[in-house]
């Protein structure tokens, strides 16, 4: 029996997950809900499913799971609601911008025993997943250092930035999760620097656009992270891991692999200019992993705790920038 | 209104086109037909469409087009049948293994005025298409030379080879079409060499597994082609074009872009091992182009003539190997 | 007239500079001096020049310049000696392990008006130099972030490490100089983390083998550095610079550019395993720059001040590790 | 004792070999001879050796070997002269443009028992040599197909072309030698096509600028060659070999390895624009191989026979173009 999933939120990322659910032979897009009726209708038409609403989904006995693709400030409430309703839950990151609210939410999830998976899509990218597999199979030996380079083609609009929780909670959080995914050991200290140098408006909003960070683990493993809101050449997403026996690196993805050579040199086209085309396969694999976990009754990964810790690292990084000192994770997590 | 397409042939390539049709917002998979009921049923279930048969499709007023994915020896008959029935036709290459039969078939198509597109999928690969676009935009100047490297991971089974029409009609035909697509000028002479060196069984079947060819145009442009039925490192599909102002090359596609560096060197995983994963995007773009052409009433490309000429070049190449001399295209096409 | 240069120190790096001097049409290897007579003799024979000693060179009227390739603890004394003797001086980095001693030495150089160039060879590598040129020509716009990856194939012997001054003064100092060379703005704060994870013996010697660092400038530019004493795949030397208009990166150099593809993947040979083969062209260009500066009477670069500041950054980094906090450069430089 | 070598011809390629001889610790540049006194003087001054002449060198008891870098039409006479004089001979390719004259010359060499090495420098390029080594060590299994791509940045002057013997004897001959070097089996048939499309003047001189060729061996191995006199992006020198177990390829060399990424894409600088910088290391290794062979009394490679066969293939290729048919090597070699 296919897993019947209700989609909450018919926006940009909602459409991506709708397509992934529709294409997964083990899942079925049961219905879609969105406070904007036109958005819900359009998506429902495109995928041939009915429109519904949160209250109806909550009590619908033929809905097995929900995919939460609504604005961040609704995530925690919806997770609690559907945890209590006994639905399996896939929720886009972050659970909430407040660590305290995340803790409360996860307490509810824990008490209800609900299945919760958090959408750190990059873990499911075939390239990052292949690097993780190579590491797990010992190809590079014990990990010693890793570097994450993560840059957006261009900054989001000011309105988005204003409600984003800042670059660490919005953007670097993906890299913090990648660090935990790869290192196999929790970071114990975080040092970060940040500046607003690509666009003065970002600084005026109290946010940053350029970030460097060093995470250290108890055994002395290093993770450096480099973020920018602007990379003119496209969506720059790379990873490099050094181990005792060698290194593994994930190179950038390109929309097309052609090269033109002329008197001025050899030129390849820019990278993807949008995270949805860059991570197309990752989103499909992510939903497939959720469906498989629920259908087989195994705990999904990344889970609520992963969502909590990534946010805690973001908190530590922000504190590090503010106080200009390394911050111990124990200061944040207790 | 979405174009309603009947799928003929529920085999491997049929499934690929079914997926492409189902995902195209401007098309609809109307029904599927296959002499093997289990195959038709399975595909129909997977895509939620009814099973039908050739006779019913021929007279169905709510079927706009057919996608012919049946064995080669049925192509010409089916094309004629549906041309007379007034359906738009997408047919996998080749139209037939006999040039004479192809000519007859195209005469019928011409008389009926039917829309016919032939499935040379590589033209629709985003990479080859991007190279073609760069050439058309003059980035490399007038074309002087091109090289096609095209190698399969492993030879098909002997049973397939026995009925394939030989490597030129089965495999090199794609490269002959690519030559015409890129050169912008018809080849006037063909010289080819061929040997059976990867597997003696292929030689015993009277076929070859390794092919080199040179095509020349009237103005002196060169195209060299290199084929092998065996490349241990995967499905090797490259193109390189030299023009007066530079060159453009299409590099191989990889399933994942990771690199592991150890004391023995830097290693990237092998290429795709299957043409269907390598050309996933090409198949989708191909069907989209067919749908768009039919819906807009513009002639599709590649058409029946393209199918005929590619086969004629294959004929010339085979004659060249047999008679150990360059063969003029005029000897074949008259 | 060719510049007549006396070579001090006939060891490994001395031989490299001897070859560079001998091959430079505008320079002449006047003589060689080394406390180990066999070493001096061997080098003198190989290059067809006489053996001499420091005292004789000091007073020789036909010696224009000296190239100091002796152990680090002799550098400052020799620089002062030859500054007073009116010779132009090329000295391998570092001037001394003590910042105080470097200051004294530079005071002497300043008073005598001597010409002093410090051997930060990487600035002269054709690849790093080409990146610098691209930046200076505005190809990537104003610089925002840079990343230096610098890893040795294997740690030096314990005896070397014991007298090296530690990884920051011995190894990272090159990257600190590269940061200054590229950023075009002085770092104002340094944060570094360090661990001994590749070899416990290095930790027992009180040194580290794995280093991460973040340098920040007053205007908010970032430089991250990643060092390791062990990279099984060879001598890993990369640079990546992000600017407002794009990025420029320097890729690793390989002894040979072949690629073997088999069923297990595509493999390229490891990198150079020795800094002298990796930087062969850099050493030649470095001496050529010294010769050109002296012959034309223009100040050489990098100069004594560059040597001082790079060492000061190393000092700051070490202090940062010890005190687990970012260190302001003003704390070190006053 | 160092091998004392007299250099004949102080032109462009003579200077390259002079530098290689001077830098080889086992060789010594004994003297230089050139009919143009200024050329001989300049080279002699630069390398600190005396000027001499052919007659004196012939009878000089302290000259062990000669390096012939004079115009092609003097090669055969000089080889015969120094073979009779008992000198070891290194001679630039080709021995002569006439196959008959080459045969006569080699008869003299054979009778005198002289040591003769022919300057097919590409065999000594570290990259091509590494590919050959990988093949010899069985990394790619038995060879089945190879492709040589060889393109000059720009055509030589008309005066050079007029006396070059045509593109096959002047340029493709290097690729014919590479085919023999790599295949490990003699070609038995040659088919070539050629056109003058980059520059009409080349056609007016009766020569071609664009060449494709297929060489076949008795066992069915293929070699395809692609030549052009014009590649705007630089000196394009590549090789690709397919074997039963995989492939090995030699990639192009670049003067610098930087990459600039901007909104228009990722750009690497053009290739070398000159064969002497591209093959700098090859020339040094070539002379070292000659010196080593002579000093150790082992037969050098490539030898006179290699020079003869490469020229014979060029002859066959030209005949193939003229007669528009494949030519058997037995037609040329008897």
């Amino acid at each position: 029996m296919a897993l019947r999933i209700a989609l909450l939120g018919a926006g940009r990322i909602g459409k991506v997950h709708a397509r992934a659910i529709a294409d997964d032979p083990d899942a079925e897009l049961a219905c879609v809900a969105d406070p904007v009726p036109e958005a819900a209708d359009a998506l429902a038409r495109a995928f041939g499913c009915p429109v519904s609403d949160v209250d109806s989904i909550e009590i619908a006995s033929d809905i097995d799971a929900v995919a939460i693709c609504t604005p961040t400030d609704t995530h925690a409430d919806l997770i609690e609601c559907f945890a209590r309703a006994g639905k399996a839950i896939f929720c886009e990151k972050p659970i909430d911008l407040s660590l305290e609210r995340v803790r409360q939410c996860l307490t509810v999830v824990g008490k209800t025993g609900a299945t919760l998976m958090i959408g750190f899509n990059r873990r499911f990218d075939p390239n990052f997943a292949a690097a993780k597999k190579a590491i797990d199979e010992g190809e590079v030996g014990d990990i010693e250092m890793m570097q994450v380079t993560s840059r957006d083609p261009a900054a989001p609009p000011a309105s988005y930035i204003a409600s984003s929780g800042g670059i660490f909670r919005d953007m670097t959080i993906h890299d913090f999760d990648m660090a935990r995914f790869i290192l196999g050991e929790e970071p114990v200290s975080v040092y970060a620097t940040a500046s607003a140098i690509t666009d003065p408006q970002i600084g005026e909003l109290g946010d940053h656009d350029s970030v460097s960070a060093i995470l250290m683990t108890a055994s002395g493993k290093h993770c450096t992270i480099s973020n920018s809101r602007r990379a003119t050449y496209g969506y720059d997403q790379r990873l490099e891991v050094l181990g005792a026996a060698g290194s593994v690196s994930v190179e950038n993805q390109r929309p097309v692999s052609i090269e033109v050579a002329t008197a001025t040199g050899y030129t390849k086209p820019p990278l993807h200019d949008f995270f949805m085309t860059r991570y197309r396969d990752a989103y499909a694999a992510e939903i497939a992993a959720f469906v498989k976990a629920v259908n087989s009754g195994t705990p999904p990964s990344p889970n609520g705790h992963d969502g909590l810790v990534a946010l805690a690292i973001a908190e530590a990084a922000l504190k590090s920038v503010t106080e200009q000192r390394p911050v111990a994770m124990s200061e944040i997590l207790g």
Side-chain angles (χ1 to χ4, degrees), chain A:
Chain A
M1 273 288 291
L3 187 77
R4 288 178 52 81
I5 307 176
L7 181 74
L8 306 175
R12 202 165 66 163
I13 190 70
K15 278 177 207 154
V16 170
H17 290 309
R19 161 62 58 206
I21 294 167
D23 280 354
D24 189 325
D26 298 321
E28 195 181 325
L29 185 59
C31 60
V32 58
D34 195 295
V36 181
E38 295 75 19
D41 285 349
L43 195 146
R45 249 197 325 275
F47 288 90
C49 74
V51 169
S52 185
D53 57 71
V54 170
D55 293 346
S56 308
I57 294 168
E58 193 181 351
I59 58 171
S61 59
D62 62 345
I63 303 283
D64 305 310
V66 294
I68 303 176
C69 304
T70 53
T72 295
D73 58 8
T74 67
H75 287 183
D77 288 348
L78 288 170
I79 289 173
E80 290 178 356
C81 160
F82 290 107
R84 289 183 178 118
K87 310 298 187 198
I89 305 160
F90 171 87
C91 184
E92 271 301 309
K93 68 95 206 168
I95 298 173
D96 196 89
L97 295 179
S98 151
L99 204 55
E100 197 38 53
R101 184 68 189 90
V102 173
R103 280 198 179 95
Q104 291 168 359
C105 177
L106 293 184
T107 303
V108 173
V109 171
K111 282 186 184 153
T112 58
T115 294
L116 172 63
M117 176 166 160
I118 302 299
F120 285 115
N121 58 297
R122 294 184 196 174
R123 293 191 182 204
F124 299 94
D125 174 68
N127 308 287
F128 291 114
K132 171 69 169 164
K133 185 163 175 282
I135 292 165
D136 288 349
E137 291 175 352
E139 288 191 40
V140 301
D142 286 345
I143 295 177
E144 295 164 356
M145 309 186 86
M146 63 178 278
Q147 292 175 278
V148 185
T149 304
S150 174
R151 295 172 183 155
D152 286 348
S159 58
Y160 177 94
I161 286 183
S163 65
S164 69
I167 192 169
F168 290 111
R169 290 192 191 94
D170 180 57
M171 182 173 171
T172 327
I173 195 168
H174 278 290
D175 309 310
F176 295 143
D177 182 66
M178 187 54 67
R180 295 183 64 243
F181 179 57
I182 294 291
L183 284 173
E185 187 184 344
E186 293 291 339
V188 294
S189 81
V190 179
Y191 178 78
T193 58
S195 51
I197 46 180
T198 73
D199 181 354
Q201 200 184 8
I202 293 173
E204 287 159 17
L205 291 165
D207 200 0
H208 308 98
D209 53 28
S210 305
V211 161
S212 300
I214 301 176
L215 279 54
M216 293 294 293
T217 71
S219 73
K221 296 175 182 174
H222 303 230
C223 173
T224 52
I225 295 171
S226 179
N227 273 176
S228 174
R229 285 287 193 188
R230 179 182 61 196
T232 58
Y233 50 88
Y235 192 40
D236 186 356
Q237 300 280 292
R238 283 171 291 146
L239 170 67
E240 191 181 315
V241 182
L242 179 69
S247 81
V248 57
S249 58
V250 175
E251 301 167 1
N252 270 315
Q253 297 295 302
R254 294 168 186 281
V256 289
S257 298
I258 68 166
E259 189 166 39
V260 172
T262 67
T264 58
Y266 280 71
T267 300
K268 295 182 179 182
L271 306 178
H272 287 278
D273 59 358
F274 193 37
F275 69 93
M276 288 186 181
T277 52
R278 165 63 181 83
Y279 283 117
R280 181 181 68 164
D281 290 343
Y283 286 114
E286 182 181 53
I287 286 297
F290 173 67
V291 169
K292 196 175 167 190
V294 177
N295 279 346
S296 66
T298 51
S301 173
N303 61 20
H305 178 71
D306 295 313
L308 174 77
V309 179
L311 186 69
I313 301 175
E315 207 95 322
L318 186 56
K319 196 178 180 74
S320 172
V321 169
T322 309
E323 304 184 2
Q324 297 191 45
R325 63 172 182 91
V327 171
M329 283 307 298
S330 57
E331 296 181 46
I332 309 295
L333 290 172

